[in-house]
Amino acid sequence: MKRLVDRYEQMTHNAVKPIADRFGLSIFPKVRVADVIDPDEVGATGDLKTYALKAHFDFVICRNDRDPVYAIEFDGASHRSVRQRERDAKKDELCRRDNLPILRIHSEHLTTGYSHLTLLGWLVEVAEMKVAFLSLIHISEPTRPLYI
């Protein structure tokens, strides 16, 4: 039987999971691109639409168990080939059209530590801290400054 994720995808999941849990995010592996981005709504036709229907994201991070926040792609050695770079460009274009951030990482993001976190874990934590900070600004009274 084939494994659902490879070694680096498992490391990616392990780096993100504790932060996701702390911020109430869900991590979904191997999500079809068209299940996140509607090809018709973003004007994808021809090869781009076909790609959206066949390709998957390594991980999709969601808020409230169903609202995509961003995708994470692990770009290993195979992503250096011309063919794979063309596929990556299609995925990037679909994300750009749908305003879905995509975080492309490689093995250094999983091993280089910042305090107790990998660089990937640190990036996810900072992104969520930004969301929390912006929500504080929104709930502050408009005439009252927010002091840190």
Side-chain angles (χ1 to χ4, degrees):
M1 187 177 305
K2 190 175 174 185
R3 291 181 181 212
L4 183 59
V5 294
D6 67 24
R7 178 176 149 231
Y8 286 108
E9 289 169 337
Q10 184 65 51
M11 290 172 66
T12 301
H13 182 271
N14 293 347
V16 173
K17 180 90 169 95
I19 294 101
D21 287 347
R22 198 165 76 241
F23 288 99
L25 301 172
S26 301
I27 307 169
F28 296 98
K30 308 261 187 203
V31 179
R32 188 174 68 129
V33 171
D35 290 336
V36 179
I37 300 170
D38 184 326
D40 295 324
E41 285 185 16
V42 298
T45 59
D47 288 343
L48 189 59
K49 182 174 182 174
T50 300
Y51 178 80
L53 294 169
K54 292 181 178 180
H56 73 270
F57 291 112
D58 290 337
F59 296 95
V60 175
I61 308 301
C62 293
R63 197 173 312 287
N64 304 322
D65 289 331
R66 65 183 183 274
D67 300 324
V69 180
Y70 53 90
I72 298 176
E73 286 290 303
F74 183 83
D75 291 350
S78 67
H79 287 257
R80 294 184 192 126
S81 74
V82 171
R83 185 173 180 204
Q84 188 58 50
R85 285 192 307 234
E86 288 171 354
R87 290 180 188 152
D88 290 346
K90 288 177 182 177
K91 195 175 287 182
D92 292 346
E93 176 59 19
L94 288 162
C95 288
R96 184 194 65 74
R97 289 183 184 197
D98 198 48
N99 293 316
L100 178 71
I102 182 169
L103 179 58
R104 292 195 170 275
I105 63 166
H106 51 82
S107 61
E108 288 180 8
H109 295 114
L110 300 174
T111 57
T112 304
Y114 287 84
S115 182
H116 62 288
L117 300 171
T118 63
L119 180 55
L120 173 59
W122 182 83
L123 289 169
V124 171
E125 183 152 322
V126 168
E128 286 308 302
M129 290 168 70
K130 176 184 174 187
V131 169
F133 176 76
L134 292 175
S135 72
L136 286 174
I137 291 173
H138 269 12
I139 62 173
S140 294
E141 295 174 23
T143 57
R144 190 174 195 194
L146 175 67
Y147 295 103
I148 299 177

